[in-house]
Amino acid sequence: MRILHILNHTRRLNGHVHAAVDLACEQVNQGHQVYIASEGGDFDALLKANGVKTLQIDQQRKVPSLLRALFSLNRSLKQYDIDVVHAHMMTSAVIAFPVCKLRRIPLVTTVHNEFEKSATLMGLGTRVIAVSDVVGASMRRRGVPQSKLKVVLNGTIGTSRSKGRSEEPKALRSPSILFVGGLHPRKGLPDLFDAFETVHRSYPTANLYIVGDGPFREEYQARAAALESASAITFVGSTTDPYPYMLGADIFVLPSHADPAPLVLSEAREAGCAVIGSAVDGIPQLLENGEAGLLVPPHDPAALAKMLGFLLEAPDRISDWRLKSQFHIERLTIERVARETFDVYCSAMPRAKVLALAS
């Protein structure tokens, strides 16, 4: 199958981009011809190394740029005889919709962040992929027909991004608690600070590591510095490879207030961390509804502190939940994501077309 993914850019530190890059590379591995149309970015070299052809399409939200993007996309669909277009961002979906209609090519969209108002526009797709069951239910409430919707849960194990990464654990002071993510309110980091302050009074040898960057970094650093436990909190900053920190951590915490299907949980489970996550959006599904990780209510530092204390008071419990993180871990492979996505593509095509591609 000839597949064209369209997204705004291919820069790092964006979950939409990581998911699209992972999928495109795996699709090549499964025998498809794959293209990515975007403004370009950090992952272009990786894409080319894995056989994905990159096409430059400027998608800035200005009328001249959008008109040029329409013409460029139309030209690319004709030149490469594309069978299906897969849009991963709202602007990309809006650009692709009229061109796909004109050329009678199925448009598949993936809803990565359903909490954004603009996510409704992803319903323009012939098929709409939701990255978790909760996202699928949300899109149905927004009016997307069930017949259009398909759930393909995110997964990262075995991705091209992970090839060649360091498998050497970072030397973290134990017991270590790790957060990896963007530093903005949606991730609930202030709740983790409050919980850690409580826990540190009973377990003064505990250490908290914050890996990531974002617009609230200075505010969060100032907040952490005012705590009694400040000396036990380390801001690592952004890194292109957080996996060694996961390998070195005892407990991984994701205290999000909203998170449709965070890739970082798949990575933390692969690394064998004991995991605590908020019971919100796609997090329970990624933690096998509490069988592969502990769940706490969002916006509840006291509950998070209690759960951290539950693990810290008995090291054997940390070891136990490390083992539990591997429960049904095979469901989080990129191979499964690509296979299920291919089934969605086929469902969007006329049967005759699918049979012709198979012959």
Side-chain angles (χ1 to χ4, degrees):
M1 189 176 288
R2 293 175 296 276
I3 304 159
L4 186 143
H5 294 274
I6 180 169
L7 56 160
N8 295 5
H9 60 81
T10 55
R11 295 189 289 274
R12 293 183 183 275
L13 306 180
N14 181 299
H16 300 37
V17 172
H18 292 186
V21 167
D22 291 347
L23 177 59
C25 292
E26 178 60 23
Q27 287 171 333
V28 171
N29 189 50
Q30 295 186 11
H32 305 289
Q33 296 177 37
V34 185
Y35 306 81
I36 280 192
S38 78
E39 296 174 8
D42 308 310
F43 284 118
D44 285 358
L46 175 69
L47 290 164
K48 291 175 183 177
N50 282 274
V52 179
K53 184 174 180 62
T54 56
L55 311 174
Q56 290 288 320
I57 294 184
D58 182 356
Q59 298 173 50
Q60 294 183 43
R61 296 184 187 181
K62 298 176 181 178
V63 173
S65 295
L66 294 175
L67 288 174
R68 285 193 296 270
L70 285 167
F71 285 113
S72 295
L73 181 60
N74 183 53
R75 185 170 57 249
S76 295
L77 297 188
K78 180 180 179 181
Q79 179 180 353
Y80 299 108
D81 193 20
I82 298 299
D83 296 310
V84 62
V85 175
H86 191 156
H88 295 265
M89 297 178 179
M90 183 273 290
T91 304
S92 302
V94 171
I95 291 170
F97 177 71
V99 181
C100 288
K101 279 288 186 183
L102 176 67
R103 294 208 160 269
R104 297 182 180 179
I105 296 174
L107 170 63
V108 174
T109 60
T110 290
V111 183
H112 295 280
N113 280 349
E114 54 81 26
F115 52 80
E116 295 178 348
K117 291 182 179 180
S118 60
T120 302
L121 290 169
M122 303 305 275
L124 292 169
T126 313
R127 292 291 184 273
V128 179
I129 293 176
V131 293
S132 66
D133 289 339
V134 169
V135 172
S138 174
M139 295 306 291
R140 284 195 297 272
R141 289 193 296 271
R142 291 170 181 242
V144 178
Q146 176 64 47
S147 59
K148 272 191 175 188
L149 274 167
K150 305 292 180 183
V151 174
V152 179
L153 185 67
N154 278 341
T156 62
I157 297 173
T159 65
S160 293
R161 281 190 304 118
S162 67
K163 292 177 182 176
R165 71 187 175 190
S166 173
E167 298 290 334
E168 182 68 27
K170 283 287 183 181
L172 306 182
R173 298 185 301 274
S174 188
S176 53
I177 300 164
L178 175 68
F179 167 91
V180 177
L183 305 190
H184 47 74
R186 180 170 64 85
K187 293 294 184 178
L189 197 52
D191 295 341
L192 179 54
F193 290 147
D194 292 345
F196 183 72
E197 178 79 337
T198 299
V199 165
H200 195 259
R201 295 186 186 113
S202 300
Y203 303 97
T205 60
N207 296 274
L208 174 61
Y209 293 86
I210 309 299
V211 176
D213 206 346
F216 284 77
R217 177 172 181 169
E218 290 186 5
E219 178 180 324
Y220 289 165
Q221 285 179 317
R223 181 167 183 155
L227 300 174
E228 293 178 9
S229 57
S231 62
I233 301 175
T234 301
F235 282 82
V236 175
S238 64
T239 175
T240 57
D241 185 13
Y243 193 66
Y245 288 91
M246 297 177 185
L247 290 173
D250 296 309
I251 303 168
F252 182 88
V253 181
L254 189 64
S256 301
H257 297 165
D259 233 334
L263 300 177
V264 71
L265 284 183
S266 175
E267 295 164 349
R269 287 184 57 189
E270 183 184 4
C273 296
V275 180
I276 300 175
S278 299
V280 68
D281 295 340
I283 291 177
Q285 190 173 1
L286 283 166
L287 294 180
E288 300 294 337
N289 295 307
E291 294 191 71
L294 295 156
L295 295 168
V296 296
H299 303 276
D300 195 337
L304 179 54
K306 184 176 180 180
M307 195 64 78
L308 284 169
F310 169 77
L311 292 177
L312 291 170
E313 72 179 0
D316 286 350
R317 287 179 185 159
I318 295 177
S319 299
D320 185 36
W321 280 98
R322 280 181 176 275
L323 291 174
K324 288 181 178 180
S325 72
Q326 303 306 294
F327 179 69
H328 285 324
I329 193 75
E330 71 281 356
R331 296 181 183 178
L332 299 182
T333 64
I334 191 62
E335 183 277 332
R336 188 268 308 162
V337 173
R339 179 167 35 82
E340 292 182 4
T341 301
F342 177 75
D343 291 341
V344 175
Y345 294 168
C346 291
S347 75
M349 296 178 178
R351 181 173 175 78
K353 176 71 171 178
V354 175
L355 292 174
L357 288 169
S359 63

